[in-house]
Amino acid sequence: MKEASELLEAGKPELALSIGRQMEKHRFSGGFEIQALAYRELGDTEKAIQVLRQGTECVPDVWVLWNLLGNYLSDEGSFDEALTAYDAGIDRPNIYTYCLRVNRANVVWRMKRLDEADADIEALLSDTEFATADPDLKLYIHGARIGILNDLGRHKEAITYFESLADNQDWIHYPAEASRIESKYATALWHDGRVDEASSVVRRAVGLDKSNEDAQWLIREIRRQTGEIGSQSFELMIHGPWLSELSPECAGCKGFYSSYSVVAETLDEALAFVREFEPKEIRDALEIDEVKHQEPSDEPKGVYWTSGYSFYSED
């Protein structure tokens, strides 16, 4: 199991898939999980779902399989089937249900059954298992609560809820979830007419995770209120230097490349928007390495997508 997981992390799903098949032949339940993850990595979600259906029939008491099945069905837009998978897992005796219930609530939220989703999240927050849940899962649940309150139009409640949370100094260890909850708080502030505060908070969210789509959307919406509509859509490759203090695990890195999708009037303006999403210490040194694609656009100006970093250590 460990070897297969390491292969998946190393971007070698074909090799992991082979190990998963061998694990299944030896009647090890983890084989189904590994195969599903590998097929998913290979872009074959349909096959991953097929494997998970087989796995849940063979070893129905393994909650991870029900959870993955529900997740993949949900990602495919099969919400009712996803709920059925989660419910089947939750109904099994002696099975860990908390994560299943979290993901079930998320699907109900995606289905726009907002009052039901709100009740589900409140139940999760009051459950005794919440106290012992992983910190990143706690952040996810808090973020879901704020997001649902926003969708219900209860923005002041969302603000109050966020501001009632305990000291958030430890959130820095979970940047993706911290960014998510900060962006939902910023959205609540924006809806409440506190635009300057929202702008400050959402940029803090981007600093934690520049790929946060909620944060990207809100920055564009704030800009759109001033009437700024783009004229060109750009696919850019950005190059910049890197500093060891920005990321200790990449202390030997000299620079990076990162892809961006941006709507702007000019390349100079596009680069200015990109700079908002990168550390302030290196913003002035960023440059456009390549314009991969360019076409007319009447969408709001701003960043629409960004990849992660591709670092290099040579000069």
Side-chain angles (χ1 to χ4, degrees), residues 26-64:
H26 288 87
R27 307 183 68 81
F28 182 45
S29 63
F32 296 107
E33 178 186 353
I34 292 297
Q35 288 181 74
L37 292 169
Y39 278 123
R40 174 75 164 189
E41 189 69 22
L42 290 166
D44 194 347
T45 302
E46 183 178 347
K47 186 65 176 178
I49 289 172
Q50 180 183 330
V51 168
L52 289 167
R53 290 192 192 279
Q54 181 184 354
T56 53
E57 289 179 5
C58 294
V59 280
D61 288 343
V62 178
W63 73 269
V64 173

Side-chain angles (χ1 to χ4, degrees), residues 42 108 127 155 187 195 226 273 292 296:
L42 290 166
V108 173
D127 194 295
H155 307 300
T187 299
V195 179
T226 65
F273 294 157
K292 296 182 176 181

Side-chain angles (χ1 to χ4, degrees), residues 169-185:
Q169 293 301 310
D170 290 337
W171 290 8
I172 192 66
H173 301 300
Y174 311 96
E177 288 304 333
S179 175
R180 178 176 176 271
I181 194 172
E182 292 274 15
S183 63
K184 293 188 183 305
Y185 173 50

Side-chain angles (χ1 to χ4, degrees), residues 139-161:
L139 271 177
Y140 178 87
I141 296 170
H142 285 314
R145 173 68 170 152
I146 295 168
I148 291 168
L149 288 172
N150 278 334
D151 287 352
L152 286 166
R154 292 155 57 183
H155 307 300
K156 290 187 184 297
E157 286 182 62
I159 293 168
T160 299
Y161 183 83

Side-chain angles (χ1 to χ4, degrees), residues 172-281:
I172 192 66
H173 301 300
Y174 311 96
E177 288 304 333
S179 175
R180 178 176 176 271
I181 194 172
E182 292 274 15
S183 63
K184 293 188 183 305
Y185 173 50
T187 299
L189 291 168
W190 175 65
H191 280 294
D192 198 45
R194 297 159 61 177
V195 179
D196 289 343
E197 291 174 77
S199 182
S200 175
V201 172
V202 76
R203 281 168 170 75
R204 190 167 69 209
V206 164
L208 291 165
D209 179 10
K210 68 174 184 172
S211 68
N212 183 333
E213 293 181 359
D214 289 343
Q216 293 169 6
W217 172 84
L218 183 55
I219 290 172
R220 294 196 306 269
E221 284 298 298
I222 291 172
R223 184 174 286 119
R224 188 172 68 86
Q225 287 187 329
T226 65
E228 294 190 28
I229 301 297
S231 60
Q232 297 289 322
S233 174
F234 299 99
E235 300 292 329
L236 305 175
M237 177 65 75
I238 301 298
H239 173 252
W242 197 252
L243 303 175
S244 58
E245 57 265 31
L246 295 175
S247 179
E249 62 270 21
C250 197
C253 297
K254 299 297 183 182
F256 71 92
Y257 292 93
S258 185
S259 297
Y260 274 83
S261 296
V262 188
V263 171
E265 287 189 26
T266 66
L267 283 173
D268 285 343
E269 185 176 56
L271 184 58
F273 294 157
V274 166
R275 285 183 169 132
E276 296 177 352
F277 283 73
E278 296 295 343
K280 60 183 179 180
E281 295 88 344

